[in-house]
Amino acid sequence: MSTKAVIGRVVIYLILAMGALIMLVPFVWMLSTSLQTAHQVNIRPPIWIPIPAQWGNYSRILDFAPHFPRSFVNNLVVASIGTILELTTAILAAFAFSRLRFWGRDILFYILLATMMVPGEIMLIPNFLTIVRFEWLDTYRALIMPWAASILSIFLLRQFFLAIPEQLSYAAKVDGCRDFRFLWSIMVPLARPALVTIALLAVISSWNAFMWPLIVTNSPSMRTLPLALALFRGEAGTFFELLMAASVVVVLPMIILFIFMQKHIVAGVSRSGLKG
Amino acid sequence: MDVHLKGLTMAFDGHETASLFKRGSAPSKVIAVNNFSATIKSGEMVSLLGPSGCGKSTTLMLLAGLYRPTSGQIIFGGEDVTRIDAEKRGIGMVFQNYALYPHLTVRKNILFPLKMKKVPKAEANKKMEEMARLVQIEHLLDRKPGQLSGGQQQRVAIARALVKEPKLLLLDEPLSNLDARLRLEMREEIRRIQLKVGITAVFVTHDQEEAMSISDRIMLMRDGILQQECHPQEMYRKPVNIFAAEFIGSPPINMLDRDGQRVGVRPEHFTLSQEQDFFTGKISHLETIGRDTLIRVQSAENETVRTFVDGNTTLKIDDTCHLSVKPENIHRFNPATGERVGDA
């Protein structure tokens, strides 16, 4: 390798390292703070490696937020069911909009797309009123149903389905395969990279959702994790070490999920193009 | 199983292809197949031949049940299948781009039609292996389609089409994506497999040489209309119209105007002669390919013909030569209608 190439490499890695650092510092700070005493939290410059580590902060989460485990379960339920529903509706709708022929199909699709231009905040109140009419306030249904279908997901998946050659569906038909079976046995496995992306987006947005759970739930047992975090900010000030300990607990599942899914994302990208 | 097509017509509406934002550009109505009637006999290999856009692929899609005809009937054996869906017609089909399921192994690709028919596993596996042996891909069963060459993919596609023992095999330009040498090899393979299985087959192609070499019978199409339907040699010897004459044969037939008729002579039917006879002109082009030399001769009236002479010829460009032809090798056509005339 020539000197010039070496220098080029070094520069590239420096830039990449800086990017990684910027991404990582908040997480490291969060972890570090979660292991400090209330006093250490306020020391400037900040302490990066607290000795001894205050693991007790993690058990003290429950003192301040006794419903924290329940909120964790709520998050799991809402995120998993919501994601499954979103995938289901996206798969079915994308198939209809890409493969089935029916009157007004494209116009209907463009109308759906147009709703993407409406900011989410505008839909907050109408959705809330609908939930109230259904008498769904303070239930899982209220937390899940408004997100059971996503136009963006339908759109993404439809584009992916359109790229799958028409002849594949002809071949499947000739092989004796009906529409639904074709969707399940051929289209869905082929669209796995797109489905992983959609699922990740759905899980993350559901896991982190704040505004909607805040307005449709009242009882502490129906609260989700982002709302539970708010409990650590009291009138007497914020308990940063506890808030950060709780935040670590909230973030951890997402990080684990990402590490696990990474394999699939990479597999999806490196998969050779659809040949035939 | 005999297959009968009766007055088959397929018209596409403009809106079927035009999208919301492309209004007005598409033609309002296209008749892809026009009153097509023919019979395909049991065990026969028939080629649907014609230039692109002649309706041959549409005819195949109609046979497969992937399109619904506008009018007409399709009869398999004694049964009218016009309204029966592709899934239930029990046919095998091979596509130009193979259309293998990319996420499944070769084994699972071949098993797929049997799985759809709910054939018991042991029996399905036996059939799959038999078929893999027939098309010579036993060693590739655990690979994915992406890891195979074009020819191998085509073999898998044939195995998948045949494994459920269909009564009819449809091949849609199966050789078009292969390179020239492989095309020749697969052409012979397809014929070998078809004869061995004894299946009735329909082969769509735009390549006249392919159709001539592989099929028992050729159906020549143009603009959705069946032009001629006969044995390949018959089509070569007695084209029914100018289109058929010009479409079949390579290099193409020489067309001239003689006595108020369009007259066709195939290149190999000219012979050099000493005195002036049927055609006289100067050699404008000359190329030797192995055994033969192809010459292009241009007359004083600016008509050109191509013909073959011996590869060891001493003829040069700008030499004058006289060509003669036996009367029985002259095809005569009505210049207005294009129809063949004057057969004894």
Side-chain angles (χ1 to χ4, degrees):
Chain A
M1 218 192 289
S2 71
T3 350
K4 213 174 161 187
V6 172
I7 293 170
R9 275 282 161 94
V10 168
V11 170
I12 286 170
Y13 277 104
L14 272 177
I15 294 171
L16 289 176
M18 251 160 64
L21 202 66
I22 291 169
M23 298 301 291
L24 275 175
V25 162
F27 286 96
V28 174
W29 199 352
M30 172 177 77
L31 192 63
S32 164
T33 308
S34 77
L35 296 172
Q36 293 175 9
T37 62
H39 171 67
Q40 284 172 318
V41 168
N42 293 315
I43 292 175
R44 293 289 175 275
I47 297 167
W48 288 101
I49 303 165
I51 298 169
Q54 306 291 322
W55 295 104
N57 287 345
Y58 284 86
S59 51
R60 282 177 61 208
I61 293 173
L62 289 180
D63 299 340
F64 276 82
H67 287 288
F68 201 77
R70 175 63 199 244
S71 295
F72 196 90
V73 172
N74 287 349
N75 250 34
L76 281 180
V77 169
V78 171
S80 52
I81 295 180
T83 303
I84 289 167
L85 283 177
E86 186 177 324
L87 285 176
T88 311
T89 53
I91 289 168
L92 293 175
F95 183 73
F97 285 123
S98 64
R99 278 293 191 275
L100 301 183
R101 293 205 174 135
F102 54 91
W103 187 86
R105 180 186 82 172
D106 289 348
I107 292 170
L108 194 61
F109 183 67
Y110 292 125
I111 291 173
L112 279 184
L113 274 193
T115 65
M116 272 174 70
M117 312 300 159
V118 180
E121 288 78 3
I122 289 178
M123 297 195 289
L124 212 54
I125 291 169
N127 275 348
F128 177 75
L129 292 177
T130 309
I131 295 297
V132 171
R133 291 269 165 77
F134 286 171
E135 298 183 357
W136 281 2
L137 270 191
D138 219 21
T139 64
Y140 280 134
R141 273 167 296 181
L143 288 170
I144 294 168
M145 289 319 283
W147 318 114
S150 151
I151 309 295
L152 179 68
S153 305
I154 293 171
F155 175 69
L156 277 177
L157 202 57
R158 171 187 178 263
Q159 299 312 104
F160 203 93
F161 280 178
L162 282 176
I164 294 174
E166 186 85 20
Q167 291 198 325
L168 222 48
S169 70
Y170 290 154
K173 263 193 193 150
V174 169
D175 283 345
C177 187
R178 295 213 152 264
D179 276 345
F180 191 75
R181 187 64 200 263
F182 171 68
L183 173 62
W184 188 248
S185 302
I186 310 289
M187 300 277 259
V188 167
L190 284 179
R192 207 179 64 178
L195 290 172
V196 168
T197 309
I198 290 168
L200 262 184
L201 290 175
V203 168
I204 290 169
S205 70
S206 162
W207 192 265
N208 295 336
F210 184 80
M211 191 54 96
W212 182 255
L214 178 67
I215 64 169
V216 295
T217 60
N218 294 321
S219 52
S221 64
M222 285 312 296
R223 292 294 198 189
T224 57
L225 284 176
L227 303 178
L229 288 182
L231 293 175
F232 296 95
R233 308 185 65 163
E235 281 151 24
T238 304
F239 300 91
F240 277 109
E241 70 285 5
L242 300 184
L243 176 60
M244 287 305 134
S247 298
V248 169
V249 176
V250 172
V251 169
L252 208 58
M254 287 297 101
I255 292 175
I256 291 168
L257 181 76
F258 202 81
I259 291 168
F260 171 71
M261 299 283 258
Q262 205 177 24
K263 196 174 66 188
H264 293 269
I265 296 166
V266 174
V269 173
S270 65
R271 191 197 184 91
S272 62
L274 287 175
K275 200 178 169 189
Chain B
M1 178 188 72
D2 287 0
V3 175
H4 306 276
L5 306 176
K6 290 184 179 167
L8 209 56
T9 298
M10 181 73 195
F12 289 104
D13 294 344
H15 76 253
E16 208 155 313
T17 44
S19 90
L20 188 69
F21 297 124
K22 280 191 231 155
R23 215 169 276 180
S25 57
S28 59
K29 207 169 189 187
V30 178
I31 298 177
V33 179
N34 196 344
N35 199 15
F36 190 109
S37 295
T39 295
I40 299 155
K41 291 196 205 76
S42 190
E44 200 179 33
M45 175 88 124
V46 171
S47 286
L48 278 171
L49 176 66
S52 61
C54 73
K56 57 192 190 299
S57 284
T58 308
T59 308
L60 201 72
M61 299 290 258
L62 289 169
L63 273 170
L66 294 167
Y67 289 165
R68 267 295 133 74
T70 314
S71 62
Q73 271 185 313
I74 301 169
I75 292 157
F76 284 4
E79 190 193 357
D80 183 346
V81 297
T82 318
R83 299 281 141 199
I84 291 180
D85 287 336
E87 297 94 301
K88 292 182 180 160
R89 283 202 189 175
I91 45 157
M93 194 159 176
V94 176
F95 296 87
Q96 180 177 349
N97 63 1
Y98 325 125
L100 298 175
Y101 309 122
H103 60 300
L104 299 180
T105 58
V106 168
R107 183 189 303 276
K108 285 190 172 157
N109 261 285
I110 301 175
L111 281 172
F112 192 78
L114 298 177
K115 209 168 141 194
M116 292 301 118
K117 274 177 86 178
K118 301 203 168 67
V119 175
K121 253 200 182 134
E123 193 189 334
N125 273 315
K126 213 179 118 225
K127 283 186 175 174
M128 181 270 297
E129 273 161 21
E130 249 168 55
M131 207 36 78
R133 210 169 308 131
L134 178 69
V135 302
Q136 299 166 354
I137 48 160
E138 308 103 298
H139 56 296
L140 303 171
L141 286 177
D142 292 312
R143 299 225 195 140
K144 294 259 177 86
Q147 297 165 299
L148 304 181
S149 70
Q152 289 169 333
Q153 290 194 33
Q154 197 56 283
R155 285 172 191 268
V156 177
I158 293 167
R160 185 182 63 181
L162 289 176
V163 72
K164 62 180 170 193
E165 290 159 20
K167 293 166 283 180
L168 178 65
L169 176 66
L170 305 174
L171 303 121
D172 188 8
E173 308 232 8
L175 305 175
S176 300
N177 281 10
L178 301 174
D179 63 54
R181 266 179 72 178
L182 208 53
R183 200 175 299 165
L184 205 69
E185 183 193 319
M186 283 310 293
R187 187 163 94 189
E188 289 161 5
E189 269 302 277
I190 289 175
R191 183 60 162 165
R192 174 184 74 83
I193 293 163
Q194 184 259 336
L195 288 174
K196 178 133 195 213
V197 180
I199 191 171
T200 314
V202 180
F203 185 101
V204 161
T205 178
H206 61 265
D207 182 340
Q208 54 92 20
E209 193 190 318
E210 222 166 85
M212 295 283 285
S213 63
I214 206 172
S215 42
D216 297 307
R217 229 146 34 93
I218 294 180
M219 295 178 183
L220 181 67
M221 287 183 78
R222 178 202 196 184
D223 298 338
I225 296 169
L226 181 62
Q227 304 286 310
Q228 187 170 6
E229 179 203 343
C230 58
H231 186 270
Q233 277 309 314
E234 169 89 5
M235 192 169 293
Y236 189 75
R237 287 198 205 107
K238 278 196 174 170
V240 293
N241 55 26
I242 294 177
F243 172 76
E246 288 182 329
F247 200 80
I248 305 284
S250 170
I253 196 165
N254 300 297
M255 296 302 295
L256 305 163
D257 287 310
R258 287 285 184 280
D259 319 323
Q261 286 176 327
R262 283 296 273 173
V263 161
V265 180
R266 301 227 175 255
E268 65 273 28
H269 289 146
F270 279 122
T271 45
L272 287 172
S273 82
Q274 294 307 315
E275 63 249 41
Q276 201 159 345
D277 188 7
F278 184 80
F279 191 89
T280 298
K282 276 187 175 171
I283 296 176
S284 63
H285 182 80
L286 184 145
E287 58 189 51
T288 304
I289 311 151
R291 192 161 49 94
D292 295 315
T293 294
L294 177 70
I295 58 172
R296 199 158 70 209
V297 185
Q298 191 159 17
S299 72
E301 294 84 41
N302 232 4
E303 284 182 318
T304 38
V305 299
R306 287 199 192 83
T307 185
F308 291 110
V309 292
D310 190 86
N312 299 320
T313 182
T314 53
L315 287 169
K316 300 183 299 294
I317 284 181
D318 282 341
D319 284 357
T320 297
C321 66
H322 307 294
L323 300 173
S324 60
V325 58
K326 288 183 191 160
E328 69 264 30
N329 285 332
I330 300 175
H331 307 277
R332 295 175 187 283
F333 303 98
N334 180 329
T337 62
E339 298 299 315
R340 184 182 190 87
V341 291
D343 275 322

